[in-house]
Amino acid sequence: MNFDVDKIRGDFPILKKTVNNYPLVYLDNAATTQKPKIVIDKIRHLYSQQNSSIHRGVHWLSEQITENYEEARRAVKEFINARSDHEVIFTSGATGSINAIAFSFGEKFLNHNDEVIVSAMEHHANIVPWQMLCERKGASLKIIPINDKGELVMESLDDMLTSRTRLIALTQVSNSLGTVNPVEEIIEMAHGRDIPVLIDGAQSIQHGIVDVRMMDCDFFVFSGHKIYGPNGIGVLYGKEKWLEELPPYQGGGDMVDTVTFEKTTFNRLPFKFEAGTTNYTGAIALATALNYIEKTGREKIADYESGLHEYAASRLNEIGGIKIYGTAKNKISIISFLIEGIHPYDAGMILDKMGIAVRTGTHCAQPVMDRFEIDGTIRASMAFYNTRSEIDRMVEGIEKVKQMFG
Ligand code: PMP
């Protein structure tokens, strides 16, 4: 395979760092990804050469930055294969996007006794906004269960869909288990009953091909910082027919057409959903990150990561006393595990002493931990700049943890 990982690593300045006198091994990519120099340079360039508020001025700087911002919207549209760039709304992140729909869709379409469906493997960001909405409206939240492998129990979904179901909100990839969900199948099932589906793409966007048209989801959300872009920027994709119908979720500048004390009329899409001064530098730098990913090759990235995942899983399975949580048939490069008899925090701290960054805890998915009756896991999440020798270092680190606590 034509994939030069050394060259790629050279694009990410932080990967040259040492931590506790060891070369950094960064395996916390599900929490956030590192930034290539081209993205860092873009942010610097924007603030030092182009900064001005978008959509407001007629002067040169404002026109330049506005054009770049709208270009960024087109880049996102291409990347996720939306029909139109006005189906792409910039938000603060996946959390911001989910909350926007929970508020806007919820206000318009949810009534007393209605139902929203999520799954048992959701990140808190795709649980709490729906819980809050259901509480406001006197509606109920229903949960698609997961089996011991960390896969959705599909048979139970059919029974759950009723005439009161208003929306399904589902993650495409679980951040705690790595499971890839059969979202196309679920969307088809839901559409058969005219139920719209929101897909949380926070963990899928960076691992391969996301095609909102092929998936046919009604809403899709992701965060810039998980796809090698800046934080504080995210995307809400919505089908035009929905976005036209939904009310704005925030009021302020830019989202209005006319304002009088008697009545305000709202701007057209996508601006109706972008109140206030947006994170325009973030949006433009996100487009730089997407372009970098396109140039590297999304399929190549997915293939490489899949090989790395297989290698990591088999190396971990060689060590005795390791239990992997999340053994779904279809997985991406996230491995949650426990070392028998050792608390994940202790393991995480020892690994950190060796320069190895893994995540420990509940990964903002406490219901998953409850499902498996554990307090938390150690999670190694790999990106396309990680290498097999880094996996070997993690394995050596785990052996050391076992010796120390064994
Ligand atoms: N959903 C999933 C599946 C996630 O992994 C995350 C981030 N860990 C989020 C939503 C929330 O993303 P953010 O904090 O960037 O808004």
Side-chain angles (χ1 to χ4, degrees):
M1 184 181 40
N2 173 22
F3 193 82
D4 188 348
V5 71
D6 289 333
K7 182 172 173 299
I8 283 165
R9 289 180 69 80
D11 294 337
F12 290 80
I14 206 168
L15 298 180
K16 296 184 184 73
K17 259 187 97 60
T18 54
V19 170
N20 294 323
N21 296 323
Y22 287 92
L24 167 68
V25 173
Y26 185 76
L27 295 171
D28 195 15
N29 295 286
T32 200
T33 53
Q34 300 301 349
K35 320 303 168 200
K37 185 171 180 298
I38 195 170
V39 169
I40 300 166
D41 288 348
K42 188 69 178 184
I43 295 168
R44 187 188 211 4
H45 172 79
L46 289 170
Y47 281 118
S48 55
Q49 299 294 328
Q50 283 201 338
N51 185 49
S52 177
S53 187
I54 50 161
H55 295 152
R56 306 245 163 96
V58 290
H59 59 81
W60 186 84
L61 275 179
S62 181
E63 280 183 0
Q64 286 285 305
I65 201 95
T66 303
E67 177 46 33
N68 282 353
Y69 182 67
E70 292 308 324
E71 185 64 43
R73 199 189 303 280
R74 289 191 283 277
V76 173
K77 174 220 161 216
E78 292 295 320
F79 196 84
I80 63 174
N81 196 27
R83 275 174 201 82
S84 148
D85 49 358
H86 58 242
E87 291 178 320
V88 173
I89 316 287
F90 286 116
T91 64
S92 58
T95 303
S97 301
I98 295 169
N99 276 279
I101 292 303
F103 187 84
S104 174
F105 182 93
E107 281 311 306
K108 176 130 188 177
F109 290 109
L110 214 76
N111 291 308
H112 195 70
N113 286 337
D114 281 346
E115 292 158 0
V116 174
I117 296 178
V118 298
S119 85
M121 70 171 80
E122 301 305 317
H123 185 279
H124 296 163
N126 201 29
I127 299 173
V128 184
W130 306 113
Q131 245 170 359
M132 289 161 67
L133 168 66
C134 287
E135 204 153 296
R136 281 202 306 276
K137 294 282 186 163
S140 54
L141 195 62
K142 291 169 98 183
I143 319 296
I144 312 168
I146 54 178
N147 64 21
D148 289 343
K149 290 181 172 173
E151 295 163 330
L152 296 175
V153 181
M154 291 291 284
E155 302 78 60
S156 53
L157 179 60
D158 202 28
D159 296 336
M160 277 175 144
L161 300 176
T162 72
S163 60
R164 303 236 53 105
T165 312
R166 293 290 164 261
L167 183 92
I168 300 176
L170 180 70
T171 196
Q172 190 168 11
V173 168
S174 154
N175 72 311
S176 55
L177 301 167
T179 312
V180 180
N181 285 323
V183 289
E184 286 89 350
E185 193 185 328
I186 293 169
I187 292 166
E188 203 180 332
M189 241 166 116
H191 285 177
R193 295 170 181 245
D194 289 332
I195 299 165
V197 182
L198 176 145
I199 296 297
D200 176 354
Q203 295 295 341
S204 57
I205 189 84
Q206 69 279 48
H207 289 294
I209 314 291
V210 164
D211 184 327
V212 292
R213 253 194 280 183
M214 198 149 80
M215 227 188 291
D216 201 25
C217 55
D218 300 274
F219 304 103
F220 182 86
V221 308
F222 72 93
S223 294
H225 72 98
K226 293 197 200 259
I227 182 157
Y228 315 100
N231 49 8
I233 186 74
V235 167
L236 163 62
Y237 157 83
K239 279 185 183 165
E240 184 174 345
K241 68 166 184 173
W242 284 114
L243 295 181
E244 285 293 2
E245 220 175 320
L246 295 185
Y249 71 106
Q250 285 181 327
D254 246 19
M255 54 74 74
V256 288
D257 186 18
T258 57
V259 180
T260 66
F261 284 116
E262 287 69 45
K263 189 175 167 57
T264 289
T265 56
F266 301 126
N267 206 338
R268 63 193 157 86
L269 288 177
F271 312 113
K272 178 171 92 170
F273 292 104
E274 291 182 357
T277 305
T278 59
N279 182 1
Y280 51 86
T281 48
I284 298 166
L286 168 60
T288 304
L290 298 182
N291 187 34
Y292 174 81
I293 296 300
E294 282 292 21
K295 278 200 175 135
T296 308
R298 286 200 259 179
E299 275 177 52
K300 277 190 203 162
I301 289 175
D303 280 354
Y304 178 80
E305 287 176 345
S306 156
L308 203 58
H309 175 224
E310 243 171 70
Y311 181 72
S314 76
R315 290 285 346 251
L316 282 172
N317 279 324
E318 280 164 24
I319 313 173
I322 297 277
K323 177 158 186 194
I324 293 179
Y325 290 86
T327 50
K329 223 155 113 197
N330 198 359
K331 272 192 73 176
I332 46 91
S333 52
I334 291 176
I335 306 184
S336 256
F337 61 96
L338 283 176
I339 313 168
E340 200 181 342
I342 300 171
H343 196 280
Y345 287 116
D346 291 334
M349 271 163 60
I350 303 299
L351 290 172
D352 175 58
K353 295 269 180 293
M354 291 179 268
I356 301 159
V358 290
R359 178 129 312 214
T360 53
T362 63
H363 321 298
C364 290
Q366 221 173 303
V368 173
M369 304 304 135
D370 294 344
R371 163 66 179 77
F372 288 98
E373 298 178 348
I374 51 178
D375 294 333
T377 68
I378 305 162
R379 182 184 70 186
S381 50
M382 293 150 271
F384 67 112
Y385 43 59
N386 290 124
T387 62
R388 289 183 180 216
S389 64
E390 288 184 311
I391 303 300
D392 294 341
R393 281 215 18 228
M394 177 180 73
V395 170
E396 279 164 31
I398 293 169
E399 299 281 15
K400 185 142 184 205
V401 170
K402 284 184 68 181
Q403 276 165 20
M404 287 176 74
F405 290 91

